[in-house]
Amino acid sequence: MYSMKRAENLKELLRAAKPFPLEGETYALFYTDTDKVRGQNSALNLCNYLRANYDDPQKILFMGHRGCGKSTELWRVSKELESDFEIISFSIKDETDTTDLNYTDVLFAILTKLVDAVPEGLRENQSILDNLISYWMDTRLSEIIDVEKTEAEAGAEAKIGILNAIKLRVKGVLKTGKESKLTVRKFIEPRLRKMIDSANDLIRILKEKLRKDNKEPLIIIEDLDKLDIPVATDLFLNHKEILTALDIHLIYTFPIFLHYSEKFDAIRDAFSYPEILSMIKVKDKNGQPNENGVEIIKALTGKRADMSLFDPDVIEFIIEHSGGALRHLFDMVIRAALISLGRGLSTISLDSAKSAYNELKSTLERSIADEHTDYLLALYKSRDKKPLRDKYLLELLNAAAVIEYNGDRWCDLHPAVVDILRDKRLI
């Protein structure tokens, strides 16, 4: 991460307002405690749950809207647990192409991280090392992964070199390949049990190493919450038994829209524990402003920028029209700053903020189809704001056209969607 500081002008604001996860230096600079207004301390919940089940590997689902702060909360978890757990954290987007993610891709990504974690253990367990290499030494794959077979009598260092070469080549295929990716997947699928067993062998080695320091391993996989609906459903519903087959603590980020699927109960039963990071309410269920939510968002914005950069009423306008979605908030701040800079201004004007909001509204409008209209109108008119489980709800949550809030768990339309319906004279 590049060096950061609190913005004192609009050019600096373009950098400081980027919706990146807070960790290390940026956490110290920009973090604002939002637990009270969210209604729970999700990081503490996860830590307490894992400590209570220290020696019993748990498979956890961590969900929330995109850009609501899940990565920052997971960093808090990592820091809090670092004396008790050895944490392996990675983004699935760095390992494979997520547009057509397959359960074999996730399992291979975990396997590669385990290989990286136990090089000394592999030198001492050459039978496991040989099994890992022999798994991939198949003539049907030789042309794709392009790695020469190792001789049986080769030393451990040579074998580890071969294994690392295989790992990199297969990862490259899964991330960028097309036809070759299908070939690799077809190779893995009938041998899935052996791949799971190999991963559990590595986990056993890792546990033996860590228990000398009274630690347990924990894997955190981010960005699985950003999958498209069919991909996410196939992974978490149809292959949940694969995601729960490893003998290690695992936290999977999980798409909020699947929480409202009629199939969620089947998913929930396969995993140990779900935790939801709620959106910050800027309005209550009755439509009245939620002053606590508005003030905390002002505070976290003020951590990133001198508030004199916003003309009167601007930050209030942006907060209200974000619906509490922090990613939309910062997107509007950046866009409004660019518009104001283009107009030769040194602060964000209300007119610039309104222009930025209109762009967000246009973006959300493209995600709303005609068949969504009746559902949106029904939710808008609902008093209890308890949406029915429906395929339209999944699509609208995925697009952030509908937002889930905390308390007794309720949903409402994004403010931009309300204005879209007004523009169409439907409300």
Side-chain angles (χ1 to χ4, degrees), residues 177-193:
K178 290 184 179 179
E179 292 300 320
S180 51
K181 181 190 298 186
L182 294 176
T183 302
V184 170
R185 286 174 175 172
K186 287 178 181 178
F187 170 80
I188 293 174
E189 285 168 357
R191 298 165 176 78
L192 199 60
R193 185 69 254 172

Side-chain angles (χ1 to χ4, degrees), residues 287-324:
Q288 295 300 308
N290 184 293
E291 294 299 333
N292 291 332
V294 171
E295 288 304 313
I296 204 69
I297 294 179
K298 277 187 183 178
L300 65 86
T301 306
K303 284 285 188 75
R304 297 197 185 212
D306 190 315
M307 297 305 283
S308 66
L309 296 177
F310 300 89
D311 283 358
D313 300 324
V314 166
I315 193 61
E316 290 82 2
F317 174 88
I318 292 175
I319 291 171
E320 177 187 352
H321 289 80
S322 72

Side-chain angles (χ1 to χ4, degrees), residues 204-226:
R204 178 174 54 78
I205 295 172
L206 181 58
K207 286 182 175 181
E208 289 172 356
K209 168 191 169 187
L210 293 176
R211 282 174 180 167
K212 297 174 184 176
D213 299 318
N214 295 314
K215 283 188 171 186
E216 285 287 320
L218 163 64
I219 296 176
I220 300 174
I221 309 180
E222 296 205 49
D223 291 321
L224 289 168
D225 56 307
K226 298 179 175 66

Side-chain angles (χ1 to χ4, degrees), residues 15 20 33 48 65 123 152 163 170 211 238 246 248 266 320 372 403-404 409:
R15 172 174 287 199
F20 47 76
D33 189 338
N48 286 340
H65 284 280
R123 291 183 180 91
L163 182 60
V170 175
R211 282 174 180 167
N238 299 334
L246 300 182
I248 192 170
E320 177 187 352
H372 294 145
I403 299 175
E404 185 196 54
R409 309 237 70 84

Side-chain angles (χ1 to χ4, degrees), residues 133-174:
I133 292 173
S134 65
Y135 180 87
W136 298 100
M137 289 306 174
D138 186 287
T139 55
R140 287 170 292 177
L141 285 180
S142 59
E143 292 183 4
I144 294 174
I145 62 176
D146 192 27
V147 176
E148 294 182 3
K149 290 187 178 182
T150 181
E151 296 297 327
E153 62 271 15
E157 290 299 330
K159 291 178 180 178
I160 289 174
I162 292 289
L163 182 60
N164 284 330
I166 292 170
K167 178 187 69 175
L168 290 173
R169 298 290 172 80
V170 175
K171 177 180 175 179
V173 167
L174 294 178

